[in-house]
């Protein structure tokens, strides 16, 4: 039985992209040329190779036996096939008799027969014709490069993965020609023997063993830190330094990411060819993210797996190469992040490194690592599907000519909040902020009622009850916000109708005129100050309830604040801004599907609060029968606590009750918070406690007076 060795290749790391691809290159070459049982996994920030080869045997394989894969791009200028191209590597390999370069020599001959004496690179349809001819005629040794460099769409037109530029080049840098130059620098093309400090260079590339062997050579987009240029590490402008083995192994590894084997995607769905784990970039999810970072070249997410896998298993992972979001492949950053949370990717992937393809300084493209995301089962992330349509319509409207700038800002704010909630690090506070942002965005439509109608924007669709679980941090602010948002009336509709114009009787779409939103006097929630908004809602409901003849206060909740919560609010001991934003977001919840929960009993009721709340009952509490009267509420809203107290005491007396209170003292702010409390629903049990708290039993008082 052969002994297995585990080599931690510290030169092969998840980032930069060059080092990630280098790991794939090592696995692929060892598996196909020397040890088909080799396996690989990611461990402690490096690639662990499990093979029968010892470290010295592994190095010896690459130095003595490695046979380079023929990589050729005759459709590109600078590829070595045309006048003026660098011929250093091309010409040497074309005539090489070394056994390790035999396949390369044959591949060059095949490619030259297709070039057929052209004086310059093909363009347009001529380039497409050459690509199709290469697919038909090239042998197996070179075919793997074709499958990685481009794919053909349903019409036979080429599409290119951002990983390899536009068919194996990055601007004027042709990858294949530079690959050939690196090969003849590493190996004598006549004998195939390794040159100079090849051993040290290879050990640096694989094991990160110290060696002064870096040279000034281009590496393209794969290693942003080694590209040189402006603000490079040596002065204001410097050449890039690279290890030649890094470049060679990197391109060998790119062949694992085959695009021709992928099933054809909708041409409008992705900005790249059908490349493994390629998605649209949305410029979110990292510290420097901005709208400009939504690159037209998109992103590519590279999988990290912790269990040792063979080359066929790794190849299968990349051939499947998709993040599944719901019933469709994830096509953007947000969908992809959500797919990770719902385990849309199988085969033991533990995380993904996210690379964005960006253009910097107008000079070159760079594959920039912008984060690493864990794959973890988090079923709650499926809740985010409920706001997908809202975000899409908002983003689409924000991109339209003449759209208010606030729409694009709102779309970015919402996108950022959704992304944060989709991450494994998301907390209840994260989800609560998303609810707040949803409310902020929807309420922002009122600032531009004509644009909202003109761009066919719609209110949030009703959210499922699961959102309540995600924001429940046990705080009084969350309980009060839930209670406020849960209120409604069968005829006058939910409290949401006091914030935006909704079409009766379903209250799910905007009420509109021919040109704008249909604003009405009932829309009183300004989303600026909680006390002001609650007072406005309470007063409006009294007016509308009186007009409709409801008798009782037309605000009844499905969730309730406790008496302790209400006391804290009246005392000004709550975070009003948080309550207001949470409540506004929760207006969109489907409250018909939410079961009422009896709040904790708490301490003794506050008699002053009791006196106010008993005047605006949503249903009868014996012996009180509800009767709408705007006068006490108006007095409280105006800060006149004395007048309001006299009116409320008289009302209790008229009902045959004997109030315990005679005088109430408080400032204007206290009076207004009492008025605002009318729009915070209580449980029926607590209304009974309030009645007992504020009045003396009739029989008891009669016996005392006798």
């Amino acid at each position: 039985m052969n002994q297995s060795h585990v080599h931690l290749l510290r030169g092969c790391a998840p980032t930069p992209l060059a080092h990630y691809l280098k790991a794939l290159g090592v696995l692929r070459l060892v598996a196909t040329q020397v040890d088909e049982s080799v396996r690989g996994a990611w461990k402690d920030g490096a690639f662990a190779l499990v093979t029968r080869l010892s470290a010295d045997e592994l190095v010896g394989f690459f130095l003595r036996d490695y046979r380079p894969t023929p990589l050729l791009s005759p459709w590109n200028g600078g590829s070595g096939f045309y006048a003026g191209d660098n011929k250093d590597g091309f010409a040497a390999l074309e005539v090489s008799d070394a056994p390790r370069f035999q396949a390369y020599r044959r591949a060059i001959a095949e490619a030259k027969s297709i070039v057929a004496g052209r004086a310059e690179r093909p363009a347009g349809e001529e380039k497409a014709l050459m690509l199709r001819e290469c697919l038909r005629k090239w042998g197996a040794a070179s075919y793997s490069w074709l499958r990685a460099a481009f794919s053909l769409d349903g019409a036979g037109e080429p599409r290119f993965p951002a990983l390899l530029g536009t068919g194996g080049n990055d601007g004027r840098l042709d990858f294949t020609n530079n690959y050939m130059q690196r090969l003849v620098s590493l190996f004598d093309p006549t004998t195939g023997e390794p040159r100079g400090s090849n051993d040290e260079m290879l050990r640096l590339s694989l094991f990160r063993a110290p060696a002064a062997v870096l040279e000034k050579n281009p590496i393209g987009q794969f290693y942003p830190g080694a590209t040189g240029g402006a603000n490079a590490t040596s002065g204001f402008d410097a050449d890039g330094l690279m290890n030649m083995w890094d470049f060679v192994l990197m391109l060998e590894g790119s062949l694992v990411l085959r695009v021709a084997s992928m099933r054809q995607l909708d041409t409008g769905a992705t900005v790249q060819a059908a490349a493994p784990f390629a998605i649209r970039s949305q410029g979110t999810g990292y510290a420097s993210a901005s709208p400009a970072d939504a690159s037209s070249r998109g992103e590519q997410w590279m999988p990290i797996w912790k269990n040792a896998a063979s080359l066929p298993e790794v190849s299968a992972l990349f051939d499947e190469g998709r993040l599944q979001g719901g019933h469709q492949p994830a096509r953007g950053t947000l969908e992809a992040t959500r797919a990770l949370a719902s385990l849309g990717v199988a085969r033991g992937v533990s995380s993904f490194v996210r690379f964005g393809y960006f253009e910097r300084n107008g000079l070159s493209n760079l594959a920039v690592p912008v984060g690493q995301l864990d794959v973890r089962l988090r079923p709650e992330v499926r809740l985010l599907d409920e706001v997908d349509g809202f975000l899409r319509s908002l983003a689409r409207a924000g991109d339209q000519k003449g759209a208010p700038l606030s729409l694009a800002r709102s779309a970015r704010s919402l996108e950022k909040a959704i992304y944060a909630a989709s991450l494994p690090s998301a907390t209840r506070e994260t989800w609560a902020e998303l609810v707040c942002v949803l409310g902020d965005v929807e309420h922002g439509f009122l600032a531009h009622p004509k644009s909202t109608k003109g761009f066919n924007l719609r209110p949030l669709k009703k959210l499922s009850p699961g959102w309540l679980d995600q924001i429940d941090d046990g705080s009084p602010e969350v309980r009060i916000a839930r209670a406020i948002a849960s209120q409604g009336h069968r005829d006058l509709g939910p409290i949401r109708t006091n914030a935006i114009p909704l079409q009766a009787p379903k209250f799910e779409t905007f009420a509109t005129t021919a040109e704008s939103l249909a604003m009405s006097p009932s829309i009183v929630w300004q989303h600026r100050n909680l006390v002001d908004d609650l007072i406005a809602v309470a007063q409006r409901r009294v007016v509308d309830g009186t007009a409709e003849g409801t008798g009782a206060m037309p605000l009844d909740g499905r969730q309730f604040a406790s008496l302790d919560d209400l006391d804290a609010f009246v005392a000004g001991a709550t975070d009003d801004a948080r309550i207001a934003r949470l409540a506004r977001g929760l207006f969109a919840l489907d409250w018909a599907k939410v079961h009422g929960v009896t709040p904790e009993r708490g301490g003794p009721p506050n008699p002053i609060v009791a006196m106010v709340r008993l005047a605006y009952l949503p249903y009868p509490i014996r012996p009180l029968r509800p009767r709408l009267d705007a006068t006490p509420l108006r007095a409280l809203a105006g800060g006149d606590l004395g007048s309001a107290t006299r009116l409320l005491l008289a009302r209790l007396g008229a009902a045959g009750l004997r109030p315990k209170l005679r005088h109430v003292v408080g400032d204007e702010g206290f009076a207004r918070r009492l008025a605002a409390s009318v729009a915070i629903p209580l449980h029926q049990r607590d209304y009974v406690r309030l009645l007992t708290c504020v009045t003396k039993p009739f029989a008891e008082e009669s016996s005392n007076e006798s």
Side-chain angles (χ1 to χ4, degrees):
M1 183 174 180
N2 291 329
Q3 180 182 3
S4 291
H5 300 271
V6 180
H7 306 297
L8 194 60
L9 305 183
R10 296 202 174 275
C12 301
T15 61
L17 182 56
H19 290 182
Y20 181 94
L21 294 175
K22 180 169 49 167
L24 298 183
V26 171
L27 178 66
R28 173 181 165 273
L29 292 169
V30 172
T32 56
Q33 297 188 19
V34 64
D35 178 13
E36 63 180 13
S37 66
V38 67
R39 292 170 294 143
W42 295 94
K43 179 181 179 181
D44 299 332
F47 193 68
L49 194 74
V50 183
T51 175
R52 62 176 175 80
L53 304 179
S54 67
D56 288 339
E57 288 172 332
L58 180 64
V59 170
F61 157 69
F62 281 107
L63 294 179
R64 296 187 298 272
D65 303 319
Y66 157 56
R67 300 181 301 281
T69 305
L71 309 184
L72 298 164
S73 302
W75 50 84
N76 288 335
S79 59
F81 287 89
Y82 305 103
D85 292 352
N86 186 307
K87 304 282 188 179
D88 292 347
F90 181 90
L93 294 177
E94 184 181 13
V95 298
S96 173
D97 290 326
R100 72 190 322 158
F101 293 131
Q102 284 182 1
Y104 225 128
R105 186 175 65 250
R106 289 194 295 268
I108 291 175
E110 288 177 348
K112 289 189 73 172
S113 69
I114 293 175
V115 171
R118 285 183 175 88
E120 57 185 20
R121 67 175 179 86
E125 179 57 26
E126 187 180 0
K127 179 177 179 178
L129 287 171
M130 178 180 284
L131 291 171
R132 292 196 286 270
E133 190 174 1
C134 289
L135 283 173
R136 288 195 304 271
K137 295 183 177 180
W138 276 15
S142 303
Y143 194 72
S144 57
W145 168 247
L146 300 180
R147 296 183 68 184
F150 68 92
S151 65
L152 300 178
D153 63 19
E157 295 300 315
R159 289 171 61 78
F160 304 105
L163 177 71
L164 295 172
T166 52
N169 68 309
D170 181 10
R172 292 176 296 175
L173 174 66
D174 183 84
F175 299 146
T176 59
N177 197 339
N178 277 270
Y179 172 77
M180 289 185 280
Q181 293 174 48
R182 303 294 84 77
L183 287 176
V184 298
S185 295
L186 290 171
F187 303 103
D188 185 322
T190 303
T191 64
E193 292 298 313
R195 294 181 186 266
S197 58
N198 202 328
D199 181 279
E200 291 179 277
M201 196 178 302
L202 179 59
R203 291 181 184 273
L204 170 62
S205 181
L206 296 180
F207 304 111
R208 215 165 61 188
V213 292
L214 300 183
E215 297 186 3
K216 294 180 180 179
N217 286 303
I219 195 169
Q221 65 182 359
F222 305 98
Y223 195 165
T227 55
N231 294 320
T233 55
S234 301
F236 294 104
D237 200 348
D239 294 323
L241 297 176
M242 61 157 290
N243 185 326
M244 288 189 286
W245 270 110
D246 284 357
F247 193 91
V248 169
L249 294 175
M250 169 191 78
L251 286 185
E252 291 277 13
S254 72
L255 304 186
V256 178
L257 280 71
R258 300 176 295 195
V259 295
S261 63
M262 303 288 288
R263 67 179 176 84
Q264 180 61 41
L265 298 180
D266 174 7
T267 56
T270 179
V271 294
Q272 303 184 28
F277 305 112
I279 60 174
R280 290 184 180 277
S281 174
Q282 291 179 274
T284 191
Y286 49 97
S288 63
S290 72
D293 284 340
S295 166
S296 61
R297 302 176 72 226
E299 297 182 9
Q300 198 157 11
W301 293 20
M302 299 302 183
I304 301 296
W305 59 95
K306 293 184 178 179
N307 296 325
S310 66
L311 177 63
E313 291 170 330
V314 173
S315 297
L317 170 64
F318 281 102
D319 282 351
E320 291 171 2
R322 58 196 62 246
L323 295 158
Q324 193 72 18
H327 298 295
Q328 295 182 342
R331 294 170 178 171
T333 303
L334 298 183
E335 293 173 336
T337 307
R338 203 173 314 160
L340 303 191
S342 58
L343 282 185
V345 181
R347 295 192 177 274
V349 175
S350 60
S351 63
F352 278 84
V353 180
R354 179 182 170 193
F355 290 93
Y357 294 105
F358 304 121
E359 182 179 286
R360 287 293 183 259
N361 302 323
L363 298 174
S364 61
N365 296 304
L366 299 177
V368 181
V370 292
Q372 185 164 332
L373 302 174
D374 292 337
V375 175
R376 188 182 302 171
L377 179 59
R378 297 175 57 235
E380 69 274 11
V381 173
R382 295 263 56 94
L383 293 171
L384 300 177
D385 295 347
E386 299 175 17
V387 297
D388 274 350
F390 185 72
L391 175 59
R392 283 196 298 269
S393 63
L394 180 65
R396 186 165 52 246
D399 287 339
Q400 298 298 311
K401 183 178 181 181
L405 294 178
S406 61
L407 293 183
R409 287 196 298 268
S410 293
R412 291 195 295 272
S413 176
L414 181 55
E415 185 178 274
K416 181 179 179 180
I418 292 173
Y419 179 84
S422 70
L423 295 176
S425 58
T427 63
R428 296 190 188 280
E429 184 178 351
T430 309
W431 280 86
E433 177 60 21
L434 171 56
V435 168
C436 291
V437 172
L438 287 169
D440 295 342
V441 170
E442 185 183 67
H443 205 83
F445 291 166
L446 298 188
H448 304 281
K450 289 187 176 180
S451 295
T452 299
K453 171 67 164 57
F455 291 119
N456 197 33
L457 291 170
R458 299 182 180 183
L460 270 166
K461 289 186 177 180
K462 289 183 178 179
L463 304 176
S464 63
W467 287 80
L468 293 178
D469 296 331
Q470 294 309 118
I471 68 168
D472 188 3
D473 59 4
S475 68
E477 285 78 10
V478 169
R479 290 193 296 269
I480 293 172
R482 290 190 320 190
I484 292 170
S486 73
Q487 298 177 105
H489 186 268
R490 64 179 182 275
D491 296 324
L492 297 181
I495 190 174
R496 195 180 186 192
T497 61
N498 294 118
I500 53 175
L502 294 174
Q503 184 65 49
K506 292 185 177 181
F507 304 108
E508 294 177 354
T509 60
F510 281 126
T512 60
T513 64
E515 297 180 349
S516 183
L517 298 181
M519 306 300 290
S520 77
S522 294
I523 301 171
V524 294
W525 184 285
Q526 298 299 313
H527 203 38
R528 295 175 184 169
N529 178 280
L530 178 62
V531 171
D532 290 347
D533 283 340
L534 291 179
I535 291 175
V537 168
Q539 289 182 315
R540 190 68 226 179
R541 286 285 169 153
V542 170
V543 170
D544 291 344
T546 301
E548 291 291 326
T550 62
M553 183 69 176
L555 275 179
D556 190 15
R558 285 181 171 269
Q559 298 274 290
F560 312 100
S562 69
L563 291 180
D564 287 349
D565 293 337
L566 197 65
D567 287 347
F569 170 77
V570 171
T574 53
D575 185 342
D576 289 356
R578 185 166 187 248
I579 294 172
R581 293 185 70 218
L582 277 171
R584 182 60 188 84
L586 291 174
F587 283 176
L589 207 78
D590 190 350
W591 290 103
K593 297 180 179 179
V594 177
H595 299 294
V597 178
T598 303
E600 294 183 4
R601 184 175 178 85
N606 185 324
I608 303 172
V609 173
M611 189 170 58
V612 173
R613 295 309 305 267
L614 291 173
Y616 296 96
L617 292 170
Y619 37 72
I621 300 292
R622 294 181 62 185
L624 289 178
R625 294 188 62 81
R627 180 175 61 84
L628 289 176
D629 181 0
T631 309
L633 187 59
R634 189 180 305 119
L636 288 171
D640 188 352
L641 185 59
S643 296
T645 300
R646 289 190 293 273
L647 290 168
L648 294 170
L649 288 171
R651 179 167 182 173
L652 289 173
L657 301 172
R658 297 183 62 80
K660 295 178 180 179
L661 292 175
R662 294 303 178 189
H663 302 285
V664 177
V665 178
D667 60 15
E668 178 181 339
F670 178 67
R672 286 180 55 77
R673 296 189 81 87
L674 284 171
S677 76
V678 171
I680 301 176
L682 298 173
H683 192 270
Q684 184 174 0
R685 178 205 64 189
D686 288 328
Y687 279 117
V688 174
R689 292 184 68 202
L690 292 176
L691 183 61
T692 303
C693 161
V694 79
T695 62
K696 300 176 182 180
F698 182 79
E700 178 185 331
E701 293 200 355
S702 297
S703 64
N704 288 340
E705 291 178 351
S706 60

